[in-house]
């Protein structure tokens, strides 16, 4: 595990965008595993700025997103497909046909999860997986459990996640209770994994996840065992180490 310490959110975002940019430059047809949430927004802004300066070409990049809420209309501004379009895809020259997000309106959970696993497999796996860290240690929507889930699956969101994510919705009742998420196996099979974490509120879970035991009760802890894992965090998030 490597830790890159940045002064603040902007510094973290720039460092992380640099890692992703080098991946695209070295392999223009790479497969990026992408994440949502507040943490990667700055990273996407930096990537857009690099694209606008003519430093990056997304035309051959393929992407596969971590997760999606079940039951939200794709035009809902809280769906993760909407998030990806407004925070990245609509601002760079990525071909939308090469982007993938689980289909949250497909109510056939088994079919959708099998389809998504096949999408990842057919792309030949993920070159670089970007992650955020849930306040309870979740990655994607892999919530604390008594085992590490493997492939794409439907999850029942924990109360902690509903509480953490309600800030994006008008009211708590609007937060979907279920989601589709890539499994821990899919994430661990990515060639490189990069996580962005920012703020004092995440300091305790950073310590637990990366300096505590590897346990499905803290899903991110398994990243300690990944051969190419980089944590890019600001000083506040690293303050308990
Ligand atoms: C959501 C997403 C995760 C994300 C997490 C942290 O639950 N499913 O992929 O990492 O939130 O979000 P934030 O970066 O806003 O703290």
């Amino acid at each position: 595990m490597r830790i890159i310490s940045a002064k603040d959110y902007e510094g973290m975002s720039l460092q992380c965008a640099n890692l992703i940019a080098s991946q695209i430059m070295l392999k223009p047809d790479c497969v990026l595993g992408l994440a949502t949430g507040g943490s990667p927004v700055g990273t996407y802004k930096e990537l857009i700025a690099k694209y606008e300066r003519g430093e990056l070409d997304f035309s051959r990049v393929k992407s596969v997103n971590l997760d999606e809420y079940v039951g939200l209309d794709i035009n809902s501004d809280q769906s993760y497909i909407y998030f990806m379009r407004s925070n990245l895809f609509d601002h760079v020259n990525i071909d939308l046909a090469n982007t993938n997000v689980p289909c949250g309106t497909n109510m056939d959970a088994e079919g959708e999860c099998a389809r998504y696993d096949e999408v990842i497999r057919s792309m030949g796996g993920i070159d670089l997986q970007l992650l955020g860290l849930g306040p309870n240690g979740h990655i994607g929507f892999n919530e604390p459990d008594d085992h590490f889930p493997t492939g794409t699956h439907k999850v029942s969101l924990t109360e902690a996640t509903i509480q953490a994510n309600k800030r994006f919705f008008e009211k708590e009742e609007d937060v979907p209770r279920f989601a589709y998420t890539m499994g821990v196996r899919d994430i661990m099979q990515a060639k490189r994994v990069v996580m962005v974490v920012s703020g004092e509120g995440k300091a305790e879970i950073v310590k637990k996840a990366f300096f505590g035991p590897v346990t499905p009760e803290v899903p991110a802890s398994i990243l300690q065992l990944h051969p190419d894992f980089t944590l890019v965090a600001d000083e506040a998030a690293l303050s308990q180490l």
Side-chain angles (χ1 to χ4, degrees), residues 69 133-136 138 141 158-169 172 175 202:
Y69 289 116
L133 179 64
N136 59 0
H138 75 217
F141 268 132
T158 61
E159 191 50 34
T161 297
I162 292 165
Q163 289 307 318
N165 289 3
K166 71 178 184 194
R167 68 199 144 116
F168 298 115
F169 292 82
E172 189 180 325
V175 185
K202 296 271 176 80

Side-chain angles (χ1 to χ4, degrees), residues 83-99:
F83 175 103
M84 288 313 301
R85 288 194 65 155
S86 52
N87 285 288
L88 182 67
F89 298 159
D90 287 352
H91 308 284
V92 296
N93 66 334
I94 197 164
D95 181 349
L96 281 181
N98 288 336
T99 66

Side-chain angles (χ1 to χ4, degrees), residues 1-181:
M1 174 170 88
R2 279 194 309 151
I3 300 180
I4 297 179
S5 166
K7 195 169 169 299
D8 51 20
Y9 182 84
E10 283 69 34
M12 172 199 80
S13 302
L14 182 60
Q15 297 268 15
C16 182
N18 286 346
L19 292 178
I20 298 173
S22 68
Q23 173 69 63
I24 297 172
M25 285 172 189
L26 291 171
K27 188 177 176 193
D29 61 346
C30 63
V31 178
L32 297 179
L34 298 176
T36 54
S39 309
V41 170
T43 300
Y44 294 147
K45 279 203 179 108
E46 290 292 343
L47 289 173
I48 294 167
K50 286 177 193 296
Y51 166 73
E52 285 173 346
R53 292 196 296 266
E55 296 165 12
L56 268 188
D57 175 16
F58 287 79
S59 62
R60 294 168 62 201
V61 170
K62 289 168 266 175
S63 75
V64 61
N65 257 77
L66 278 169
D67 47 15
E68 178 61 285
Y69 289 116
V70 172
L72 279 191
D73 187 86
I74 56 164
N75 296 315
S76 153
D77 59 0
Q78 290 313 324
S79 73
Y80 285 168
I81 176 73
Y82 184 97
F83 175 103
M84 288 313 301
R85 288 194 65 155
S86 52
N87 285 288
L88 182 67
F89 298 159
D90 287 352
H91 308 284
V92 296
N93 66 334
I94 197 164
D95 181 349
L96 281 181
N98 288 336
T99 66
N100 296 277
V101 179
C103 178
T105 51
N106 184 354
M107 291 302 155
D108 167 16
E110 212 177 299
E112 178 55 20
C113 295
R115 182 194 72 82
Y116 208 65
D117 275 340
E118 179 53 24
V119 166
I120 301 169
R121 200 202 56 77
S122 68
M123 287 174 142
I126 298 164
D127 290 298
L128 185 153
Q129 176 66 55
L130 175 62
L131 294 176
L133 179 64
N136 59 0
H138 75 217
I139 44 177
F141 268 132
N142 291 279
E143 297 279 42
D145 208 336
D146 58 5
H147 66 287
F148 289 109
T150 53
T152 305
H153 57 289
K154 183 178 174 183
V155 283
S156 183
L157 301 180
T158 61
E159 191 50 34
T161 297
I162 292 165
Q163 289 307 318
N165 289 3
K166 71 178 184 194
R167 68 199 144 116
F168 298 115
F169 292 82
E170 230 170 77
K171 40 190 195 320
E172 189 180 325
E173 303 87 87
D174 294 344
V175 185
R177 269 35 187 181
F178 297 96
Y180 293 135
T181 183

Side-chain angles (χ1 to χ4, degrees), residues 214-232:
V214 174
T215 162
E217 282 162 28
V218 185
S221 64
I222 199 165
L223 295 167
Q224 293 179 36
L225 307 179
H226 193 282
D228 191 344
F229 169 55
T230 306
L231 172 65
V232 188

